Amino acid sequence: MPDTQALVNDFLNKLKKLKIEGSQATARQNAELLRSVISQQRVPYTNQAGALIDAVKAVGEQLIAANPVELAVGNIVRRVLHIIREEDLSLTTAAIGGLNLSAVSDDENDDDRDGDSTLSAAAVAAAARSTLRPPSLQTLLEDTPVSAAVPQTSSSGGDSEGKSKSADKSSRSRKLKHDVIEAVNEQIADIVICHEQIAEQAVEHIHQNEVILTLGSSRTVLEFLFAAKEKKRSFRVFVAEGAPRYQGHLLAKELVARGLQTTLITDSAVFAMISRVNMVCLGHFSRLVLDFLKFF
């Protein structure tokens, strides 16, 4: 398996040299990198979510600093951090729910049920505090194997109990990483098909005889406009060429190839056209878009 830092350095180099075209590709590769970081991160017995969050934050800060104007990078980092907190909360809630269920499952009668319900509430509250608060010295000592904490005795009950706790905690750490990675995989799948989901809403936003302005080349904008045409919307598109990279030429060719009324204009002509425009469609906020918006 490739070294995590080598993967991070390679992605940092691509961000600094602008070798990744488009926010969709940036977001996908960023999510895949963070998935690798999480997969290779060693998780301690205590504060497992905290260890994953610290690892993602450390890498995320480097990525954001490499290209601060590419907002997709910071958005994906924040999304992955939210996923970690969400999955950790889900596991904690399930653990507390299991404790509550086991505390009240052996009730014999109504009187005992009333007494045990009070005890159960106290146990659940104590478990929640123990799970959500930072690890204490006592917690760290409790994680010490029984064989190291107490002298050996003829009975193997203490050893088996310690091994059981250790195995349970190890299983929980694997469960957290597994759930987080699965959630990140779902996020990557959403990124890949996001242009299709956005295009489905085109008919709700584009109306008859509208004049639309766009900038640069974006697959999302292309699919969005084409979806509106497929729904029998009639409109005209003006594409600013986006100097000095002139990506607008690529988008204009694809729009014409799909039968849309398209006019390619210079960036300076935007000032003359803006009064006629009903809508501006931008695929993503990049350095090109930010430079373009400085004129308005």
Side-chain angles (χ1 to χ4, degrees):
M1 184 174 293
D3 179 57
T4 302
Q5 192 56 48
L7 294 175
V8 172
N9 291 338
D10 180 62
F11 190 66
L12 286 173
N13 183 56
K14 291 180 180 178
L15 287 177
K16 291 177 181 178
K17 295 184 178 181
L18 304 178
K19 291 185 176 181
I20 306 176
E21 292 288 343
S23 60
Q24 184 186 42
T26 302
R28 178 178 56 79
Q29 293 184 35
N30 191 7
E32 291 173 349
L33 173 64
L34 295 180
R35 179 182 60 187
S36 298
V37 171
I38 293 170
S39 177
Q40 299 185 33
Q41 176 66 27
R42 296 181 63 88
V43 181
Y45 287 152
T46 58
N47 197 22
Q48 299 159 5
L52 294 180
I53 289 173
D54 290 342
V56 172
K57 279 185 175 180
V59 174
E61 290 174 355
Q62 299 179 59
L63 300 180
I64 295 173
N67 191 351
V69 299
E70 181 54 81
L71 302 184
V73 174
N75 289 339
I76 292 299
V77 171
R78 284 185 285 272
R79 177 57 185 162
V80 171
L81 290 173
H82 176 74
I83 287 174
I84 296 173
R85 296 186 180 99
E86 195 175 49
E87 295 300 330
D88 181 57
L89 179 60
S90 177
L91 286 177
T92 300
T93 304
I96 294 175
L99 176 62
N100 187 20
L101 180 62
S102 62
V104 301
S105 60
D106 296 330
D107 293 343
E108 297 291 338
N109 51 52
D110 293 340
D111 293 337
D112 291 340
R113 185 178 294 110
D114 292 339
D116 286 345
S117 63
T118 303
L119 179 61
S120 173
V124 170
R129 289 194 298 272
S130 175
T131 305
L132 298 177
R133 70 189 174 194
S136 63
L137 179 59
Q138 181 180 358
T139 305
L140 296 175
L141 291 176
E142 287 176 352
D143 290 334
T144 305
V146 177
S147 58
V150 297
Q152 288 285 350
T153 63
S154 58
S155 173
S156 61
D159 290 338
S160 61
E161 182 180 355
K163 291 178 180 178
S164 176
K165 289 182 179 179
S166 176
D168 183 61
K169 291 174 180 177
S170 178
S171 175
R172 176 181 168 83
S173 66
R174 290 195 299 270
K175 174 67 173 171
L176 177 61
K177 285 181 63 174
H178 176 270
D179 290 351
V180 170
I181 291 173
E182 285 297 314
V184 174
N185 286 336
E186 293 177 3
Q187 185 67 42
I188 293 172
D190 288 341
I191 292 171
V192 172
I193 63 172
C194 66
H195 62 278
E196 298 176 2
Q197 298 171 340
I198 294 174
E200 292 176 356
Q201 307 175 33
V203 70
E204 302 176 8
H205 298 280
I206 298 179
H207 307 290
Q208 285 292 111
N209 302 320
E210 286 196 322
V211 178
I212 300 173
L213 173 67
T214 187
L215 168 71
S217 179
S218 168
R219 183 182 179 186
T220 302
V221 171
L222 174 64
E223 298 297 338
F224 184 79
L225 297 175
F226 182 68
K229 179 182 180 296
E230 288 289 284
K231 297 296 183 179
K232 308 303 180 182
R233 291 286 194 265
S234 177
F235 54 91
R236 187 171 188 84
V237 183
F238 287 88
V239 183
E241 60 183 0
R245 303 179 70 185
Y246 300 103
Q247 292 183 330
H249 291 257
L250 301 176
L251 180 61
K253 288 180 181 179
E254 295 205 38
L255 290 174
V256 171
R258 296 200 183 191
L260 279 79
Q261 301 181 54
T262 307
T263 302
L264 180 68
I265 62 175
T266 62
D267 295 337
S268 59
V270 170
F271 295 98
M273 293 297 307
I274 197 65
S275 61
R276 298 172 52 189
V277 169
N278 306 113
M279 177 184 299
V280 177
C281 290
L282 299 176
H284 60 90
F285 277 87
S286 62
R287 186 185 303 274
L288 176 63
V289 175
L290 290 176
D291 291 342
F292 178 77
L293 292 177
K294 289 178 181 178
F295 294 103
F296 295 93

